[in-house]
Amino acid sequence: MNVVDKTINQTSSQTGGKRFALMEPSFDALKGKKSIAWALKIKKVVGWVGLGIGLVNKISIEKGYGFSYTSTGHGSYMISFNGYSWSHSIGTDNSMHKAFHYVSGDTVNICYDAVNNKLKFMKGSNGEKFWMKTSEPPVGDHFCPCVNLCSNGDSVEILDKVDKIDWEN
């Protein structure tokens, strides 16, 4: 995987390992904020793309940037391009077809609400929304934005601006 300017590119095909890019700063550095939002533009989907938040130590140290998606405990809360949700802690939200689909060219706005332990997503092109519950990060770990790119050529861009969104409705 490489990063050029604000674009994250997968440079090899991965089945389980080296799929995550963790984006700093982590939310641990943003103490005092109720929530934080960011936006990603899907540059290219070749195989599989996931967007959301990840537990920094769980993903980087324990999992070696890999993704063991068949059960909870993988360290991330995400939605993938094919409409699936992925939950580190809630089995009924892990590997479930509950979210919206997104494709190359779409923008996805994401908001992490630390007070209510929710992760919210909105597709910029049509306003489709999805939210999921998260757990508190375990002692000694913390969340940061992440992307999960599976195939050589998968690519996302970190945008400077988030769409103005009424996250409550």
Side-chain angles (χ1 to χ4, degrees):
M1 198 162 318
N2 71 19
V3 179
V4 178
D5 293 322
K6 293 185 177 193
T7 301
I8 304 167
N9 303 292
Q10 179 57 273
T11 56
S12 65
S13 291
Q14 300 288 327
T15 52
K18 306 285 188 243
R19 291 174 56 157
F20 278 100
L22 302 173
M23 298 177 279
E24 297 293 334
S26 69
F27 301 135
D28 196 46
L30 303 168
K31 296 225 183 277
K33 287 194 172 192
K34 176 185 172 186
S35 64
I36 185 165
W38 64 100
L40 300 167
K41 181 176 180 82
I42 311 307
K43 300 287 277 185
K44 190 172 185 182
V45 176
V46 173
W48 194 92
V49 173
L51 312 172
I53 62 173
L55 291 164
V56 174
N57 294 334
K58 181 80 166 179
I59 290 172
S60 64
I61 297 169
E62 188 177 323
K63 299 292 184 181
Y65 295 94
F67 187 44
S68 302
Y69 54 86
T70 56
S71 62
T72 58
H74 47 71
S76 61
Y77 296 89
M78 301 183 299
I79 61 170
S80 54
F81 82 103
N82 56 355
Y84 277 73
S85 62
W86 306 92
S87 175
H88 167 72
S89 63
I90 302 168
T92 55
D93 284 340
N94 189 58
S95 189
M96 297 291 178
H97 194 259
K98 293 183 168 188
F100 55 81
H101 292 238
Y102 54 86
V103 297
S104 300
D106 283 338
T107 296
V108 178
N109 296 281
I110 306 168
C111 178
Y112 172 57
D113 179 343
V115 173
N116 297 304
N117 292 316
K118 285 185 180 180
L119 187 60
K120 306 169 188 178
F121 301 86
M122 189 182 96
K123 187 170 161 182
S125 61
N126 66 6
E128 285 182 87
K129 292 181 183 176
F130 176 77
W131 69 269
M132 64 193 313
K133 291 290 286 176
T134 64
S135 62
E136 292 282 332
V139 174
D141 209 344
H142 55 279
F143 289 121
C144 76
C146 71
V147 297
N148 184 322
L149 306 175
C150 180
S151 296
N152 186 11
D154 287 336
S155 180
V156 299
E157 178 184 0
I158 304 164
L159 299 179
D160 292 327
K161 187 172 112 174
V162 178
D163 292 337
K164 290 188 181 212
I165 296 166
D166 177 5
W167 289 103
E168 301 308 315
N169 294 316

